[in-house]
Each structure stands twice: as structure tokens, then as C-alpha cells.
Amino acid sequence: MKVELRKLTENELELMMNWRMREDISQGMFSSVKLTIEDQRKWFEKIKDDPSQIRWVIYVDDVPVGSMYLVDIDYNNKRCESGWFVA
């Protein structure tokens, strides 16, 4: 079994959107949201070059299975917040 973290790209936005709106995933999140692909693209444009966050898609044997992220990255104090989910 091969497990990889691949940096989130625009190609995975619809997949991430669908995962995020699934009840079994959203119940473990801080909020439940209704997303659109247009909103996802706007969100991605804001975060893609933001050094305070890194987002990955988790792949197992080249199949996307979830997401992992680091946010609020503070390089000076060497801390951040993290999260993940498996779909």
C-alpha cells in the first residue's frame, strides 16, 4: 500500500467540495456548509499562495481518500493548527 500527501490543486476542488458536504464528514467539522464550485474556486484563489496554510489530498494507491491540512502556520513560533478527514 502506498500512501501519499499531494498538495491540493484546482483539479480536486469538486471532489473536496463533495466530501466536505457529506453528512458523515461535516458532523465532525466546526460548521456544516452548502458549497458551490464557484465558491470553491474563489476560496482556492485566496489560499493557494498563502504561506500560512498548506492543504493536501490524501491518496492511497493513487486513489483520493481524504484531506489533511496545516493552517495558521506561525513560522516564527513554530506552531500551527492541523486537521484531516478520510472520506
Side-chain angles (χ1 to χ4, degrees):
M1 178 181 345
K2 177 180 162 186
V3 178
E4 292 180 274
L5 296 180
R6 297 182 192 168
K7 194 165 181 182
L8 176 65
T9 68
E10 193 168 355
N11 295 333
E12 290 123 347
L13 291 180
E14 188 170 359
L15 175 65
M16 293 288 289
M17 177 185 74
N18 291 332
W19 283 343
R20 180 64 177 83
M21 290 191 301
R22 279 180 32 184
E23 185 176 337
D24 61 324
I25 292 173
S26 66
Q27 70 186 8
M29 302 287 187
F30 290 117
S31 63
S32 184
V33 294
K34 190 73 171 161
L35 303 169
T36 67
I37 195 63
E38 294 81 24
D39 290 339
Q40 286 293 94
R41 287 189 182 110
K42 288 177 191 174
W43 167 79
F44 185 70
E45 282 304 309
K46 283 190 218 176
I47 65 110
K48 71 178 183 177
D49 295 319
D50 181 351
S52 72
Q53 56 185 301
I54 306 169
R55 296 175 183 268
W56 299 276
V57 177
I58 304 166
Y59 282 81
V60 175
D61 294 331
D62 292 320
V63 176
V65 298
S67 176
M68 181 174 226
Y69 57 87
L70 300 176
V71 295
D72 297 326
I73 300 171
D74 180 342
Y75 293 95
N76 292 327
N77 295 301
K78 299 182 182 187
R79 58 182 150 188
C80 66
E81 294 182 35
S82 64
W84 59 274
F85 63 82
V86 174

